[in-house]
Amino acid sequence: MRIAFMDSGIGGITVLHEALRQLPYEDYIYYADTKHVPYGTKPKELVKQSIFEAVTELHDQGIKALVIACNTATSIAVSELRASFPFPIIGMEPAVKPAVERVQALHKRVLVTATPLTLRETKYQDLVAKTDNESIVDSLPLPELVTLCEQFEFREEAVLPYLREMLLPYRMEEYGSVVLGCTHFPFFRRHFRKLLPSHVELIDGSGGTIKRLRQVLEQHGLLSRSGTGDVRYMSSKAEPGELERIRQAHLLLNETFNENDN
């Protein structure tokens, strides 16, 4: 049985990438709900309906666990999903807590970037209220990054002007961490790095999410030692070439992470 990852589009591949690193002996399904992308700018109930349709389709595949590799989907649907499906479901949230912990001693601020819907949700507001005792967390919606990512538009001349404009109101020398609170955003790590001071750390929640996935698999006796890291791609958009497009996004991400490692 496979572990499923689902997202509105190709962003969740950034979380799958971490799973393949930490759990190489599992097999996976990656489901991109590209028929309904983006989630973060749409009405909540419409997005929730799309999420349930996607997870129902994955349930029919006989999966053993599901990672909601999308901060927006987690924030609006994870509790209801857990009540509706029999397999373990792991969600995501912006990595506010580790970001705050890392900057407090430096007397710096944290900037959380995410989709508008994630930042509006009670789940995110409660997370900040619980974590941000010194009022050092600011929030910045960056919906255009999702659109650019889904269009495979990573040219600096297309991305940097948008990021530069959105970051302009913030004195970045006052910040110690920028949280990439949407799974699409790690595709743009090198673009952020070009605009941010060298001391600013980029943080996302993928590592913590996969650590939690491993714990849950172990608790349920579901951890595999016989898989090969095989990934099967699925999409809600029944168009020729769509699955190949998702696979190419995965290859592109691998190249991006290799560049960052170097």
Side-chain angles (χ1 to χ4, degrees):
M1 298 175 72
R2 293 175 182 252
I3 301 168
F5 283 68
M6 72 84 56
D7 180 36
S8 61
I10 63 175
I13 292 173
T14 60
V15 192
L16 174 61
H17 176 90
E18 182 65 20
L20 288 163
R21 190 183 70 81
Q22 290 193 36
L23 298 170
Y25 300 114
E26 298 284 351
D27 293 323
Y28 300 94
I29 293 174
Y30 184 80
Y31 187 102
D33 190 16
T34 44
K35 183 178 179 181
H36 302 109
V37 70
Y39 285 169
T41 57
K42 291 189 170 74
K44 177 179 177 178
E45 290 306 316
L46 184 62
V47 174
K48 190 181 294 185
Q49 179 181 338
S50 300
I51 293 166
F52 266 82
E53 290 172 357
V55 177
T56 298
E57 190 171 349
L58 287 167
H59 172 266
D60 294 342
Q61 298 292 315
I63 61 174
K64 67 178 182 180
L66 171 66
V67 177
I68 305 295
C70 173
N71 291 276
T72 299
T74 299
S75 66
I76 66 174
V78 71
S79 296
E80 292 178 50
L81 289 170
R82 286 173 176 153
S84 302
F85 294 94
F87 40 75
I89 298 176
I90 292 84
M92 296 197 69
E93 63 183 18
V96 177
K97 183 178 179 180
V100 169
E101 290 174 348
R102 294 184 199 188
V103 305
Q104 280 179 324
L106 303 174
H107 305 290
K108 296 289 187 179
R109 301 186 65 79
V110 172
L111 183 62
V112 181
T113 65
T115 68
L117 186 50
T118 293
L119 297 178
R120 285 199 305 267
E121 278 301 295
T122 302
K123 183 176 175 63
Y124 172 73
Q125 300 295 335
D126 290 345
L127 174 64
V128 173
K130 183 171 61 177
T131 306
D132 184 21
N133 297 322
E134 299 178 9
S135 299
I136 60 172
V137 175
D138 298 312
S139 306
L140 174 63
L142 293 174
E144 187 64 24
L145 285 188
V146 178
T147 302
L148 290 168
C149 188
E150 291 296 326
Q151 294 173 345
F152 281 54
E153 180 55 271
F154 302 108
R155 292 175 302 139
E156 290 186 358
E157 56 266 36
V159 177
L160 291 182
Y162 171 69
L163 272 184
R164 188 176 288 112
E165 178 184 0
M166 298 304 289
L167 292 170
L168 189 60
Y170 300 88
R171 294 171 54 86
M172 292 311 303
E173 64 271 15
E174 297 178 358
Y175 290 82
S177 297
V178 170
V179 176
L180 304 179
C182 169
T183 56
H184 285 79
F185 293 0
F187 275 94
F188 299 97
R189 276 183 172 271
R190 64 181 176 87
H191 303 85
F192 277 98
R193 279 269 59 101
K194 279 188 172 291
L195 298 179
L196 297 176
S198 59
H199 73 270
V200 176
E201 186 177 10
L202 291 171
I203 300 176
D204 68 70
S206 295
T209 298
I210 303 307
K211 287 179 183 177
R212 178 58 183 158
L213 171 62
R214 175 188 281 275
Q215 291 171 352
V216 170
L217 292 174
E218 289 175 339
Q219 290 167 5
H220 288 81
L222 295 172
L223 194 65
S224 174
R225 302 292 182 186
S226 59
T228 62
D230 181 67
V231 180
R232 181 153 58 90
Y233 301 99
M234 297 177 62
S235 174
S236 57
K237 183 186 285 187
E239 291 186 1
E242 182 62 16
L243 297 184
E244 177 60 20
R245 188 184 79 91
I246 298 167
R247 190 182 74 84
Q248 288 298 324
H250 197 170
L251 294 174
L252 176 63
L253 182 75
N254 287 337
E255 293 176 5
T256 299
F257 272 80
N258 288 336
E259 287 175 4
N260 289 330
D261 290 342
N262 294 330

